[in-house]
Amino acid sequence: MLKNILVADDSPSIRNFLVALLEQKTEATIQTALDGKDALEVILSSPPFDLALIDLNMPIMDGVQLLKRLAELQFSAPIVIISGLSRQILGAIEKLSKEYRLNVVGTIGKPIDVSAVEHILTQLTNHERHRTVVEEIKTYEILDALQNGKVEPWFQPQVELIRRRLVGFEVLCRIRHKRHGLMLPQQFMQTLEKSELIQVVTFELFKQAITRFCSLPDAYQQCTLSFNLSATLFDSETFIEQLIQLIHDSPMANERIMMEITETTIATKPLNELEGTARLAIAGCGLSIDDFGSGKATLERLHSLPFSELKIDQQFLPKTQISEAQRALLESTINMARRLGMKVVVEGVETFHQWELVQHLGCEMAQGYFIAAPMPFESVAEWINQWQSLT
Ligand code: C2E
Ligand code: CA
Ligand code: CA
């Protein structure tokens, strides 16, 4: 249940409208602020908020400055951005908020659409109901999980759009926690990447995933397995050495192993990354540039590292109607990748409409809930049977 809500907007009519609406729809205490500076003061002097609605265009301290200050304060409550600005500017602000690690749950345009506010409130209450823990797991808990076989690879299918043929699976890490149940990467990845535990966990996933996959009937042995490699791993020469050894020793053909390297975190020493990826490519593994479009040095990286596949981040695939600009971006990225001889995978395909769209734009492969959500190994064979019976 929402208890404390903050509404920060300099326009009295919008403030009053939102307060009246929130009073009607929730049982929360609602506080208001007239500008960013005022909002910050209210936040610092009140009990924790469980929702903040923030206007971007305010005097004295605008919404962007406020978001930055909130990030510094590690403000963790859900934030809704209110603004009359264009979708493009809002997109930029959403991206910025992600970088700041703020929890932006939605944006509302002006004039305010009551159903948009209602939608966000329902989502928040549903989420609250289904929420497992979102706080990060502690290092000793990860160690404990490793020792007890509770770090597991989950598998999400990747399929060809045209023939619907199954191409392979992305391996995604899950941790089974004694009290909190199944934990997702957002709850432990940061902790892992801060320590050398990321190396141990990555090895564990490689070993388990490959062993399990090789136990499947021969008919599935053409599938690829894609692993996520954190950029920090490239800073350890011994890690890359050992990984290559593991791949050589494994019963799986090296060409069937794809390394997904994300753009969002760049190795602290780019030369190490170049060296590491070159060695993995020489070993015969496929290299995939992950989350394409969401990070830094995009074009330069494409040019300098030997990637054979490009994964377009799900933020580029809109959930609703695609705008001309979004379509142009998607289309030109797909074309560019093809001209560079790379395969393109679009992530986050959730609906038939999106499936048709990316197929139409010339993309080869898709991954997303429309095809299947990540699953434990125990469900893989059954899923493959079902998929093949449909195609
Ligand atoms: P990613 O590499 O972009 O992986 C795709 C994420 O999108 C997965 O989240 C997947 O469950 C989710 N997803 C798949 N289809 C859909 C869809 O249709 N809609 C939506 N909204 N989401 C979809 P997950 O498993 O929570 O992983 C999050 C991120 O954590 C991954 O993003 C990856 O960057 C990182 N990660 C996961 N496993 C590992 C790992 O073993 N090592 C490293 N270094 N990173 C990992
Ligand atoms: Ca990935
Ligand atoms: Ca992604």
Side-chain angles (χ1 to χ4, degrees):
M1 202 179 73
L2 299 171
K3 288 203 200 103
N4 284 306
I5 303 182
L6 173 72
V7 174
D9 197 309
D10 59 320
S11 146
S13 61
I14 292 198
R15 239 178 12 243
N16 294 339
F17 176 78
L18 280 172
V19 170
L21 183 65
L22 291 166
E23 274 175 349
Q24 192 196 343
K25 302 280 169 201
T26 73
E27 286 163 32
T29 309
I30 295 146
Q31 297 200 58
T32 55
L34 314 182
D35 56 59
K37 192 162 165 282
D38 191 22
L40 209 56
E41 278 160 18
V42 174
I43 286 170
L44 289 172
S45 62
S46 312
F49 284 99
D50 11 48
L51 176 64
L53 292 92
I54 295 172
D55 177 27
L56 282 185
N57 204 348
M58 293 186 288
I60 307 180
M61 182 192 274
D62 66 32
V64 178
Q65 290 170 299
L66 174 60
L67 290 174
K68 187 166 181 188
R69 290 288 292 126
L70 291 179
E72 286 161 6
L73 292 170
Q74 301 192 330
F75 186 74
S76 60
I79 297 172
V80 172
I81 293 173
I82 321 170
S83 172
L85 297 170
S86 74
R87 276 260 27 111
Q88 225 167 358
I89 300 182
L90 282 178
I93 305 294
E94 272 182 50
K95 190 166 171 206
L96 193 64
S97 313
K98 251 194 203 161
E99 293 280 322
Y100 287 162
R101 298 193 172 279
L102 288 169
N103 181 14
V104 174
V105 293
T107 46
I108 301 179
K110 286 185 184 179
I112 297 209
D113 173 6
V114 177
S115 63
V117 182
E118 283 172 340
H119 179 68
I120 289 175
L121 291 175
T122 325
Q123 269 190 327
L124 276 177
T125 26
N126 282 345
H127 183 67
E128 188 88 334
R129 219 174 285 140
H130 297 139
R131 192 167 64 160
T132 48
V133 265
V134 281
E135 65 259 30
E136 288 241 336
I137 195 169
K138 305 279 182 303
T139 310
Y140 73 87
E141 295 177 296
I142 300 177
L143 272 171
D144 188 58
L146 268 167
Q147 274 160 1
N148 292 297
K150 303 290 181 197
V151 174
E152 293 176 19
W154 277 42
F155 300 84
Q156 187 178 32
Q158 299 178 330
V159 301
E160 271 179 5
L161 284 151
I162 293 187
R163 289 187 294 155
R164 293 178 150 248
R165 189 179 67 94
L166 171 65
V167 179
F169 291 84
E170 175 171 3
V171 176
L172 294 157
C173 185
R174 298 291 183 263
I175 294 182
R176 275 189 205 278
H177 191 276
K178 273 190 213 135
R179 280 173 295 115
H180 305 321
L182 195 70
M183 299 190 82
L184 295 169
Q186 69 184 65
Q187 294 163 278
F188 54 78
M189 222 53 213
Q190 260 189 304
T191 310
L192 273 184
E193 286 181 343
K194 270 187 234 143
S195 76
E196 295 197 346
L197 267 179
I198 183 66
Q199 301 188 19
V200 187
V201 167
T202 307
F203 276 132
E204 183 62 24
L205 294 173
F206 266 88
K207 283 188 209 149
Q208 280 194 44
I210 294 179
T211 314
R212 290 175 159 219
F213 239 72
C214 289
S215 72
L216 285 172
D218 283 352
Y220 309 136
Q221 301 296 326
Q222 293 310 313
C223 289
T224 55
L225 277 185
S226 301
F227 292 89
N228 291 284
L229 287 189
S230 298
T232 49
L233 292 170
F234 290 97
D235 288 333
S236 160
E237 206 172 303
T238 49
F239 174 81
I240 299 296
E241 194 78 47
Q242 288 170 343
L243 184 62
I244 292 176
Q245 194 58 46
L246 187 151
I247 292 164
H248 280 315
D249 293 344
S250 88
M252 196 155 172
N254 297 10
E255 315 77 74
R256 285 175 48 217
I257 300 178
M258 296 290 300
M259 306 291 183
E260 294 192 0
I261 301 161
T262 176
E263 278 206 300
T264 43
T265 44
I266 293 219
T268 44
K269 301 177 191 123
L271 209 60
N272 290 348
E273 196 180 1
L274 184 58
E275 198 181 291
T277 45
R279 294 182 67 192
L280 289 167
I282 292 169
C285 302
L287 295 182
S288 174
I289 186 159
D290 206 359
D291 295 334
F292 185 81
S294 67
K296 302 137 193 159
T298 307
L299 290 174
E300 194 248 318
R301 273 187 131 205
L302 260 188
H303 178 64
S304 57
L305 299 174
F307 291 108
S308 51
E309 180 184 273
L310 181 152
K311 292 188 83 173
I312 300 185
D313 194 52
Q314 47 183 279
Q315 63 173 300
F316 292 96
L317 191 60
K319 305 278 175 252
T320 48
Q321 197 67 28
I322 190 166
S323 69
E324 264 318 301
Q326 286 169 322
R327 177 188 278 270
L329 261 180
L330 261 178
E331 200 163 17
S332 51
T333 306
I334 293 169
N335 287 339
M336 173 195 66
R338 298 185 89 173
R339 287 189 68 175
L340 292 172
M342 297 163 88
K343 287 211 173 110
V344 188
V345 184
V346 174
E347 289 180 344
V349 175
E350 292 185 356
T351 62
F352 180 62
H353 177 72
Q354 290 176 322
W355 167 287
E356 277 194 311
L357 171 76
V358 291
Q359 180 174 358
H360 181 74
L361 294 180
C363 176
E364 279 132 317
M365 287 194 273
Q367 181 182 340
Y369 298 158
F370 179 65
I371 301 141
M375 60 189 94
F377 183 72
E378 292 68 35
S379 310
V380 167
E382 194 190 323
W383 179 84
I384 298 179
N385 281 335
Q386 260 178 14
W387 180 259
Q388 283 174 346
S389 69
L390 292 173
T391 51

